[in-house]
Amino acid sequence: MVRMQRLVLQGFKSFKRKTSIPLPAGFSAITGPNGSGKSNIGDAISFVLGRSSSRSLRAKKTEDLIFHGSQSKESSDHASVILVLDNNSGHLPLPEKEVSVGRRINKKGVSTYRLNGRVVTRQQVVDILAQAGIHPDGHNIIQQGDVNHVVEMDAVQRRKILDEISGIKEYDEKRVKALKELEKVEEKVREAEILLAEKGSVMEKLRAEHDAAVEYTKLTEELEKLKDAIVLKEFSTAKDALEKVGQEVAAKEKEFAQAEKEIARLDTALEKEEKALTTLTKEVIQASGQIEVSRQIAQLQSGIEGRKARVESLQREIGRLDSLIDRVSHLDSKIHPALKDVLTLPGVKGVLQELIVVPAQYRTAVDVAAGGHLRDIVVDRMETAVRCVNHLKKNKLGRARFLPLDKIQSFRPQGLPAGCIGWLSTLIHFDAKYAPAMEFVFGRTAAVKDIETAKEILQRQRIRMVSLDGDLVEASGAVTGGYYRRAGGGGDVRGYLKEKNDLIAQVEKVEDEVAVLAKELSKLADKEKKTRTFDVEKDRQGIDQRLEQLRDQRRQAYELRLGLQQEIGKLNIQKARFEARFDSLKLQVKSPTTTVALSVPAMRQREADVEARLRELGPVNLKSLKEFDSLLEEFEEFKEKVDKIAEERRAIHDSIEKIEERRRETFYHTMEAIGKNFRQVYRDLTGGDAELILEDPKNLDTGLLLKASPPGKRLLQIDSMSGGEKTLTAFSFLFALQKHKPAPFYVLDEADATLDKVNTQKIVNLLKKQSKDAQFLIISHNDSLVREADQIFGVTMNGGESKVLGVELPPAE
């Protein structure tokens, strides 16, 4: 059997220095004055075996186990305990004959375990020691107060000790699991019975549902056939229309290609004639010697051509502005179709950007400051906003933000900081009834001239500011800025009209300049010396005539091409519509062979009649077509399932009874064995009789009673005994537990504190008898007990530090 061989302490509680205590076999006693630290030795054994509760080691927290110092001794930085065990019996699953178990704890409360010097986990230590019947919380270690605890605990707590030792917890868990299964099965049975009753009533209703379902099925099939026939005829019509428009597009594209070739030919001829004119002009200039006049003429011609190009550029810009004006004038076309639908609902006032008029100089600032709020929808009340949201959800039209005028939390402008132009809500124009929404969006943002001004103001006061060119400064200090380019949509039509008028004025001005330059060119041409030959002049006139003819032909060809291009565009749009319709119908065609001997209008009428009858029928139970014939069979099958569930319930009941039977057998077997030990130990101690009984012998969940009859007295419960009798009875119970599950050694810490000399001697006699088979370490200051020990260790306190002195007593004669 394994026994304790040596205990080494250092820094543990009152033991600062390294202290080694040999622990021989037999009966050893540790004694000393109160406060000397003798009980700390028992705590050290519990500590090294892995006991985790610091309170069971008489410490508030784990760090209190470390020597905390005294007036003459410094505190330790850790505590360590090593217990050396004799393993000659081989009960520990280790090859070594001497096994050391160590535990060290630092001031952070972190424990380190070692086994024969190797670092291991607590669980590894606990598992290995358990092989020899050694447990950190075992009943073989009786600490101060444990005996009194047995005396003071109620009967149910005392019975739970037997539950733990007998191991019936496993049966308790099985029983709980079986009861849960039984509860589930009972619920299934109840549900099955309810369903069984419901199925009987369903049979009566099913016939009418069956007839309606048959008619519904026939009408549905007819409606499907009608729709297929209509789609097929419309598909054929769409196919013919698509082929026709395709032929028209091909013809127009052919004409367009011919026009392109004609323009290319005319461009080549123009280039050739212009080159000839240029060459002829150079010859005339060289012949005339009028270099300066020719240079001026060239400059005037260049100026005229440049201004003509400028006019064309301005006219293109005017065309772009016309397009922008058209888009802005029809801004609602950019609004999502979902919003168009919502804007028609009662209580909806409109999109925020449509409810404000912004002066031109503040447009960029308003765009940046408002951001996504420009597309918020203003409504009169919160109920309207909720109705709009539900409308969008129901029709799956997307999402939008709504500003209810009766609930929106507006921001009333406060004192305007110096240097600001004004709060944006005061710089824009809107109807006063929309003030809450406008103050919510614009009321907390001030307009400033530029970002430098915003920077100066932010040093004095933190507010949200936006510059006229679009730089945004948040009250938090975050800055968003850079080059800002306003989007095309949502602009001010008046601004675009003004820009267009400016461009028209520029065109008129440039055209006037062209007229002036043309007059000057005419004068210079008159001044030019007519030194050219008649043939050269004739050639030039011929080239001019051909150029004019070619340009006229090219203009006609260009206009023809432009017209063809527009026609092709319209035809392509029409073709795209036909293709979309064709593709849609193609997907809808299910059976290309479906035919109905009716015209499309007649089929439409029949389709309407069928749909009307289907609406009259309302919702039908199509499952009744199968349920009507199979309900009886299903009913029988379901009844069979109910019988199986009931059989399962009976099986679980049987299982619970068997578990309970095994549980009772195990418990009563353990109780009988411990009761026998209890009677024997009590007889050895006192010569009296004792027994263990349950409060209700038929109920394992009742309390455990300890009864004893000292010599000459009747049988009493432990609560009715004197103090000494209670202690002897509790000792007997604890030794009975230990005898049922023997341990290799026992530690008793002041367990005899309440005994008189006579009863102490009885305990001594029991210990000496038991010490032949197990190792006993008794911590006591009772002289009667200590004198009987095989070896005594004295513990003294010196300067706040415990010291140990061993005395081996001679064998009694």
Side-chain angles (χ1 to χ4, degrees), residues 788-808:
E788 299 293 335
D790 299 328
Q791 181 164 325
I792 302 173
F793 296 94
V795 181
T796 61
M797 178 68 71
N798 185 6
E801 180 182 3
S802 295
K803 294 184 179 180
V804 179
L805 176 65
V807 178
E808 184 176 359

Side-chain angles (χ1 to χ4, degrees), residues 326-337 340 354:
D326 182 65
R327 289 203 300 272
V328 173
S329 298
H330 299 84
L331 182 60
D332 58 334
S333 64
K334 286 193 174 182
I335 298 174
H336 192 279
K340 286 184 181 180
E354 297 177 347

